Amino acid sequence: MTTFATAVAQTLAGCGIDHAFGLVGGGNILATAALTRAGVHYTAARHEGGAMAMADAYFRATGRVAVCTTTHGPGLANTATALAEAAKNRSAVVLLCGDAPVAGPRAHDIDQSALAASLGVPVVRPTDPDTAVEDTVRAVRTATAAQCPVALFLPGDLTDRELSAVPVAPPPQARAKESDEDAETDEILTFLSAARRPLLLAGLGAWRSGAAKILTDLGDRLGALLATTVMANGMFAAHPAALGLCGGFASPPAAALMGEADVVLAFGTSLGDFTLHGGRILDPAARVVQVTLEGARAPRADLAVRGDAAAVATRLLDAADAHGIARSPWRERAAASGALRRAADGWAALPHPDASGGGRIDPRTLTRELAPLLPAERTVVLDGGHFIGWPAMYWPVPDPAGLVFTGAAFQSIGLGLAGAVGAAVGRPDRTTVAAVGDGGALMGLPELETLVRSGRSALVVVYDDASYGFEEHMYVPRGADAATLRFGDTDFAAVARALGARAVTVRGTGDLSAVPEWTARGAEGTLLLDCKVSQGVLAPFLSDLLGR
């Protein structure tokens, strides 16, 4: 006979899930044991929120579904911030969690389904042992097809219940491509026929649809320049017409070219304020076509088309030939003028006044000097905070899977160290480079121990300005009490060494010699750089928004 918990675990493994992140308690400990018996690898986190962030980052770095498992009640509640982030990022994760008994809630239970629903997370809650396999498969299929986290709640009085029969679990269905039959191809062609300076903008949805090759071909056919949102960073890496990131992280030469575009084809992006840099990045007169699976029209879009990015791009490529759409000479003109080269050189080619001094290093100098020291094959994990501008500006990534930007969707901080664990476990072929602020690092500090314990290759760069820098720059000039935002220095290097990592305090560029020494030894284990950065340097993306 097979128990309910065992059937669920075996079904998850049978659906191709090979890794789980979690923290065990009474509500999930037997299910977790069943997972490991079924061959699912398990990473023990130090906090449930960390476990959720790990599973989210694993999906972002690999494209594969992972399990986050927690106990009921407080275990689930502790995942809330990371779970909301995963939901808003549309990350396919199964949250396997204990729940109140079918017979009725206990005094300490909460309405977990209501909590999940408030975060936009679908719930699957089996109430009959004999539907355990069917319900589990449904949870995995929902996560993969809808690209969202799904909560699979296991009632406490079913865990040990035996099944009368165990049906064979079918494999989860592949994500269905949305039909593009109704895509308004003719309207798009009307825009393109008048285009003199077309820009092709790709977002995370385009990357997930597998559209990189077809979008490159479409851009080449149209003579368009290419750009990506920050979440699709690296999608057009090394292409001669690539401008890099669209938005506040764009270098001035790249932003200038984007501002010249008269038609923008945006695939797989919501065209939010961050991508459009508060409306500053595009010419107000530019015509914008938005292609998304949701078909929801952004305020800036002149035309919204519901469809899969790869499918719509394929139709457009065929239609451009059939309708004789002329190829724009914009690329060639931009190359001849040197504008494309300047855009490709990016921020690294632009000088800045070095604000280092007094035992603190300019964050621009730090990040630029680190860039050539980092392994080429890397996954960059970002936490939230003011510091994010520097890695985004100076550290290119090999492809969108090489950037895990935690907290961006939910505007949170504190998930970066946990995200580094998920990325490192998911992509052991790449060195994980985690960039965190001091505030986020202290919020997520328990997962530094998990990262060290994992044994994976990881470089952690702490941008330590001893404050909540974003809020200080934004709100102190508006009357906020600076004392609520500033702190004394934290010795992150000492903490890291106590947890088993190599660590060095960085106050000048000479201290960065620890990085090539680490890579020369094979980049084994975790190296943490406790970087005491200058406090007065304002990132360009925030400077623009504040008008400074």
Side-chain angles (χ1 to χ4, degrees):
M1 300 294 286
T2 299
T3 66
F4 172 82
T6 298
V8 169
Q10 290 177 345
T11 303
L12 289 170
C15 287
I17 292 176
D18 59 9
H19 209 98
F21 304 86
L23 194 153
V24 294
N28 70 321
I29 192 166
L30 296 181
T32 302
L35 279 173
T36 59
R37 285 196 302 270
V40 176
H41 300 286
Y42 178 73
T43 296
R46 292 297 190 174
H47 188 277
E48 291 90 351
M52 187 65 228
M54 292 173 197
D56 180 5
Y58 183 94
F59 170 75
R60 300 191 200 199
T62 68
R64 302 194 303 273
V65 179
V67 164
C68 168
T69 181
T70 77
T71 192
H72 50 68
L76 173 66
N78 276 344
T79 70
T81 297
L83 183 57
E85 166 69 18
K88 291 183 179 297
N89 188 65
R90 301 190 64 181
S91 296
V93 176
V94 173
L95 172 58
L96 183 65
C97 182
D99 197 6
V102 174
R106 301 154 295 195
H108 58 274
D109 285 318
I110 61 173
D111 188 343
Q112 298 191 164
S113 294
L115 175 59
S118 74
L119 302 177
V121 176
V123 172
V124 175
R125 187 177 187 268
T127 57
D128 182 347
D130 290 336
T131 67
V133 172
E134 176 185 344
D135 291 334
T136 302
V137 170
R138 178 158 55 93
V140 177
R141 283 180 173 169
T142 300
T144 53
Q147 290 203 331
C148 63
V150 175
L152 179 58
F153 289 153
L154 308 183
D157 52 356
L158 296 188
T159 302
D160 291 328
R161 192 83 62 84
E162 293 181 341
L163 280 63
S164 59
V166 183
V168 176
Q173 295 172 332
R175 183 188 178 204
K177 297 282 187 183
E178 292 284 343
S179 171
D180 62 322
E181 292 180 354
D182 296 326
E184 293 146 347
T185 306
D186 290 342
E187 290 190 62
I188 302 176
L189 291 175
T190 299
F191 286 2
L192 289 176
S193 65
R196 299 295 178 265
R197 296 175 299 281
L199 174 68
L200 197 154
L201 173 62
L204 184 58
W207 169 251
R208 289 182 177 175
S209 78
K213 174 63 166 60
I214 188 63
L215 288 179
T216 301
D217 292 345
L218 178 62
D220 291 343
R221 169 62 181 80
L222 298 175
L225 299 185
L226 308 175
T228 74
T229 67
V230 66
M231 304 303 280
N233 191 1
M235 189 163 167
F236 302 126
H239 192 285
L243 301 179
L245 300 182
C246 182
F249 299 149
S251 68
L257 282 172
M258 293 177 205
E260 294 179 12
D262 59 0
V263 172
V264 180
L265 299 182
F267 291 86
T269 169
S270 63
L271 291 176
D273 280 348
F274 200 83
T275 295
L276 298 180
H277 197 33
R280 294 168 176 80
I281 201 74
L282 300 179
D283 184 338
R287 307 300 301 275
V288 178
V289 178
Q290 182 185 22
V291 179
T292 65
L293 284 173
E294 297 79 20
R297 179 173 170 176
R300 183 61 181 85
D302 298 286
L303 174 65
V305 174
R306 186 173 188 264
D308 174 80
V312 174
T314 300
R315 286 171 61 90
L316 284 176
L317 183 58
D318 293 339
D321 290 334
H323 289 74
I325 298 297
R327 186 181 187 279
S328 167
W330 191 27
R331 279 190 185 182
E332 287 69 25
R333 290 200 304 265
S337 68
L340 263 181
R341 178 188 55 76
R342 291 189 293 274
D345 290 343
W347 288 100
L350 302 177
H352 65 265
D354 192 346
S356 302
R360 309 196 81 88
I361 184 171
D362 187 313
R364 297 164 295 190
T365 303
L366 165 70
T367 315
R368 185 161 66 178
E369 291 297 316
L370 268 175
L373 305 180
L374 303 178
E377 285 299 312
R378 57 181 178 254
T379 304
V380 175
V381 179
L382 299 182
D383 202 346
H386 172 243
F387 75 91
I388 58 173
W390 316 123
M393 289 160 56
Y394 291 104
W395 296 347
V397 293
D399 54 43
L403 178 68
V404 176
F405 192 171
T406 70
F410 194 41
Q411 299 294 291
S412 63
I413 69 172
L415 304 179
L417 291 174
V421 177
V425 169
R427 291 300 302 265
D429 57 316
R430 290 179 170 178
T431 296
T432 297
V433 181
V436 298
D438 54 300
L442 286 169
M443 280 189 187
L445 190 59
E447 305 312 344
L448 177 58
E449 188 277 336
T450 309
L451 182 61
V452 173
R453 175 166 36 88
S454 76
R456 309 289 181 172
S457 174
L459 174 66
V460 178
V461 182
V462 182
Y463 286 78
D464 183 6
D465 62 357
S467 74
Y468 291 121
F470 189 97
E471 287 74 14
E472 177 159 358
H473 288 297
M474 178 166 282
Y475 294 107
V476 168
R478 295 163 60 181
D481 183 356
T484 64
L485 303 167
R486 296 173 183 167
F487 303 88
D489 271 336
T490 300
D491 193 345
F492 286 102
V495 173
R497 284 191 288 268
L499 295 175
R502 297 184 182 91
V504 63
T505 300
V506 176
R507 298 185 182 277
T509 56
D511 298 318
L512 298 179
S513 61
V515 178
E517 292 170 4
W518 175 66
T519 54
R521 293 194 294 266
E524 295 180 351
T526 300
L527 171 64
L528 182 141
L529 303 180
D530 180 6
C531 305
K532 307 304 185 184
V533 298
S534 305
Q535 297 165 319
V537 181
L538 187 60
F541 80 93
L542 188 55
S543 177
D544 289 347
L545 294 176
L546 295 176
R548 297 182 194 168

